[in-house]
């Protein structure tokens, strides 16, 4: 039977994009079909070389867009979006929605005019982030911390493991103990993984700091794109949650993704070599 519900392909290096999927489930019509692709073979993206990452993302999406036929591709990863959105848009006819650090939003809400951005080391060093500041926050001081450990901690938190407060505090100190850090009143999450640490960030940071998580605004942007582009009629099939390598704890991951509507994870068969 033919069906015309919208089809989204959400992509990340790991579980980070599932925070955006959660927001999509609340935002999109309930029959929207959301496939998820995690390139965990190359996790963490924040520690990879830029050229290697672009080639990898294009090769992987080339195969998966052809196979899954999405109406819109959501790059639910700041580290991928800040380097690969332009080449992806140039190459594929499918619309792309990206996730980038919420610099514009932070500049709108910060009263002290000093805000923080927490991101991966890849995103933190990219000219893309500086360009966002120049365009939208040139009257603000932007304190950026490129964190090595947080995406790993978020992967563990997603599986229900307990994360030591000390590990989070070590990373937050790079913002709040930096010069002018005591004036930070707003912090933008510049990595989708950090959604799953948001409770700890709020609890362990100075009181009254506003934490900005772009998951919901990004989901709303996906909805607008789908509304502007009526989905093609296609045969219905089950939603897929695919990985590029076996996860460390498959049972725990199956249980965790169940809560987001996926039956189980599948491992892509030789999609792209991890080298
Ligand atoms: N979820 C990804 C992001 O938003 C990054 C995690 C990684 O380093 O792989 O940047």
């Amino acid at each position: 039977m033919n069906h015309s519900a919208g089809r989204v392909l959400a992509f990340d290096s790991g579980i980070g994009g599932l925070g955006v999927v959660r927001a999509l489930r609340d935002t999109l019509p309930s029959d929207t079909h959301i496939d998820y692709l995690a390139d965990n073979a190359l996790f963490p993206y924040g520690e990879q070389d830029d050229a290697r990452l672009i080639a990898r993302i294009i090769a992987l999406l080339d195969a998966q867009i052809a196979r899954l036929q999405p109406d819109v591709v959501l790059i639910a990863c700041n580290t991928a979006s800040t380097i690969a959105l332009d080449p992806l848009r140039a190459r594929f006819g499918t619309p792309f929605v990206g996730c980038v650090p919420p610099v514009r939003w932070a500049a709108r809400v910060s009263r002290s005019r000093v805000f923080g951005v927490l991101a991966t080391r890849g995103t933190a060093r990219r000219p893309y982030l500086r360009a966002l500041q120049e365009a939208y926050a040139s009257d603000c001081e932007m304190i950026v911390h490129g964190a090595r450990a947080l995406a790993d901690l978020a992967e563990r938190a997603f599986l229900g493991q307990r994360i030591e407060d000390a590990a989070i505090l070590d990373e937050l100190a790079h913002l709040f103990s930096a010069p002018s850090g005591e004036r930070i009143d707003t912090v933008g999450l510049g990595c989708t993984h950090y959604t799953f640490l948001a409770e700890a960030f709020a609890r362990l940071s100075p009181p009254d700091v506003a934490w900005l998580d772009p998951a919901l605004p990004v989901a709303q942007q996906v909805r607008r794109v789908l509304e502007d582009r009526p989905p093609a009629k296609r045969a219905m099939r089950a939603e897929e949650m695919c990985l590029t390598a076996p996860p460390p704890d498959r049972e725990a991951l199956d249980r965790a993704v169940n809560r987001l509507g996926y039956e189980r994870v599948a491992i892509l068969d030789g999609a792209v070599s991890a080298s």
Side-chain angles (χ1 to χ4, degrees):
M1 187 176 103
N2 277 343
H3 187 80
S4 59
R7 220 179 247 189
V8 180
L9 169 59
F11 172 70
D12 183 33
S13 58
I15 54 82
L18 289 169
V20 188
V21 168
R22 193 167 58 188
L24 289 172
R25 300 272 193 222
D26 292 340
T27 306
L28 298 174
S30 59
D31 61 349
T32 310
H33 189 106
I34 307 171
D35 294 312
Y36 192 87
L37 171 62
D39 187 12
N40 60 322
L42 223 65
F43 177 85
Y45 268 15
E47 299 296 311
Q48 307 296 335
D49 167 78
D50 288 359
R52 180 185 189 202
L53 215 46
I54 295 174
R56 165 75 173 189
I57 294 166
I58 288 178
L60 198 51
L61 287 179
D62 205 7
Q64 298 311 314
I65 288 173
R67 189 173 75 84
L68 298 167
Q69 299 281 303
D71 298 300
V72 53
V73 180
L74 164 64
I75 305 297
C77 173
N78 292 253
T79 313
S81 295
T82 52
I83 193 96
L85 264 185
D86 289 344
L88 288 169
R89 286 184 172 134
R91 187 178 174 105
F92 298 102
T94 315
F96 283 82
V97 173
C99 286
V100 301
V103 169
R104 188 180 196 171
W105 186 7
R108 265 207 312 266
V109 303
S110 171
R111 278 172 297 143
S112 68
R113 312 314 285 155
V114 181
F115 66 83
V117 171
L118 267 186
T120 63
R121 295 204 299 186
T123 297
R125 71 175 140 76
R126 299 243 162 87
Y128 195 106
L129 183 57
R130 304 295 149 197
L132 284 178
Q133 186 192 9
E134 274 163 37
Y136 302 117
S138 55
D139 65 329
C140 292
E141 190 173 341
M142 180 173 86
I143 300 177
V144 180
H145 174 46
R148 171 66 187 85
L150 287 177
D152 280 308
L153 296 178
E155 290 272 331
R156 288 174 36 207
F158 182 75
L159 297 181
Q161 295 174 22
R162 202 174 151 272
I163 306 300
E164 294 297 321
D165 285 353
I168 307 270
L169 282 164
D170 273 356
E171 299 284 1
L172 293 184
H174 290 271
L175 292 180
F176 297 106
S177 304
S180 309
E182 74 289 349
R183 294 179 52 219
I184 291 176
D185 65 351
T186 306
V187 182
L189 300 188
C191 170
T192 50
H193 274 72
Y194 302 169
T195 296
F196 298 104
L197 299 171
E199 176 279 324
F201 291 155
R203 183 167 50 78
L204 298 171
S205 59
D208 301 328
V209 168
W211 286 86
L212 310 182
D213 182 347
L216 184 59
V218 168
Q220 289 164 338
Q221 178 60 17
V222 172
R223 188 189 62 206
R224 282 189 288 272
V225 172
L226 279 176
E227 283 168 356
D228 284 355
R229 189 179 160 114
K233 280 200 188 304
R234 282 160 305 210
M236 278 234 278
R237 57 166 174 76
E239 290 182 327
E240 293 191 23
M241 156 95 204
C242 309
L243 309 184
T244 54
D249 185 344
R250 189 160 181 168
E251 272 179 34
L253 187 60
D254 276 340
R255 275 197 304 277
V257 301
N258 255 209
R259 295 194 290 271
L260 289 161
Y262 296 101
E263 234 163 74
R264 53 184 288 280
V265 299
I267 315 299
L268 283 179
D269 215 13
V272 175
S273 98
S275 58

